[in-house]
Amino acid sequence: MHSDVESILFTEEQIAEAIKTIGKRITDDHTGKSPVIIGILKGSFVFMSDLVRSIELDCELDFMVAKSYGNAAVSSGTVNVLKDIDTDIAGKDVIIVEDILDTARTLAAVKEILSARKPASIQICTLLDKVTTKKVSVVRADYKCFDVGDEFVVGYGLDYAERYRNLRYIGILKREIYEH
Ligand code: IMP
């Protein structure tokens, strides 16, 4: 285990098992359809790569970079799209893939931006859902692997100051690392 990590929350094996289950559910729910699966970078890149290989559908993949900021009410105005998708999603079934839903501000804004392009449907798939009182949006995940508490977690794509993304597990970061 990395010395900055306090404890492991989910092992590589637990993550793989959860993704297999979610992948099967997405496959079953979209029989005969060809969804566009959109990963929100950077945090979702590891999850996205395992998830799409557990989905047995003819699908398209794309990525978006969005940064949220401020505490204002949720709207596309609070999110900056740094890299947009190239895919035309009009009339298509869209699944947004996120690493962690915290306040849900980012996802609410991304959903609003993508909705304006008239897809047939939009669903949300998140690796982690933070059980927090800080949720500012009613946007909820349609698919999720795990709930987590209000701690700062890293690994399997999730970072603190761009570090720890390459850990094979999800762990709680020691407080002393981010509280100086
Ligand atoms: P939201 O808009 O508050 O839901 O923020 C979601 C984004 O915040 C995620 O995509 C992560 O990049 C980041 N984030 C929130 N909580 C954590 C955490 O515990 N570890 C790492 N990143 C986090």
Side-chain angles (χ1 to χ4, degrees):
M1 188 171 83
H2 195 292
S3 58
D4 293 351
V5 171
E6 186 180 289
S7 61
I8 294 178
L9 268 184
F10 305 110
T11 63
E12 203 178 339
E13 293 74 23
Q14 287 171 317
I15 298 168
E17 194 56 38
I19 291 176
K20 239 171 79 181
T21 306
I22 291 290
K24 180 160 182 358
R25 272 186 52 209
I26 292 176
T27 303
D28 292 346
D29 291 352
H30 294 79
T31 309
K33 295 185 174 170
S34 304
V36 181
I37 304 178
I38 301 174
I40 308 301
L41 293 173
K42 299 176 193 172
S44 74
F45 83 105
V46 184
F47 177 42
M48 177 86 167
S49 109
D50 283 341
L51 178 70
V52 295
R53 285 179 290 170
S54 74
I55 294 175
E56 294 178 28
L57 294 168
D58 182 21
C59 55
E60 290 174 71
L61 310 183
D62 211 331
F63 292 95
M64 193 165 176
V65 181
K67 284 259 178 292
S68 72
Y69 49 87
N71 291 310
V74 174
S75 83
S76 53
T78 63
V79 139
N80 206 356
V81 176
L82 304 179
K83 184 227 170 283
D84 206 342
I85 52 169
D86 306 311
T87 314
D88 178 7
I89 58 168
K92 305 227 177 114
D93 296 294
V94 168
I95 302 171
I96 304 172
V97 177
E98 178 69 295
D99 54 352
I100 185 165
L101 259 182
D102 185 7
T103 65
R105 185 183 291 120
T106 315
L107 215 47
V110 165
K111 195 174 175 186
E112 192 182 302
I113 291 165
L114 296 180
S115 294
R117 301 177 192 175
K118 308 277 178 254
S121 67
I122 298 193
Q123 289 182 306
I124 288 163
C125 177
T126 189
L127 173 65
L128 305 173
D129 194 2
K130 227 177 220 192
V131 179
T132 169
T133 51
K134 290 181 289 183
K135 289 253 186 298
V136 297
S137 165
V138 291
V139 170
R140 293 286 176 265
D142 298 281
Y143 304 98
K144 74 170 151 187
C145 292
F146 306 106
D147 282 318
V148 289
D150 209 356
E151 302 112 340
F152 201 85
V153 295
V154 292
Y156 197 74
L158 291 119
D159 75 311
Y160 172 68
E162 294 304 325
R163 295 178 63 205
Y164 317 107
R165 291 194 198 275
N166 59 326
L167 299 180
R168 304 174 79 99
Y169 52 85
I170 296 165
I172 299 176
L173 191 64
K174 286 182 179 166
R175 274 191 174 272
E176 68 222 48
I177 305 298
Y178 59 95
E179 280 181 1
H180 300 291

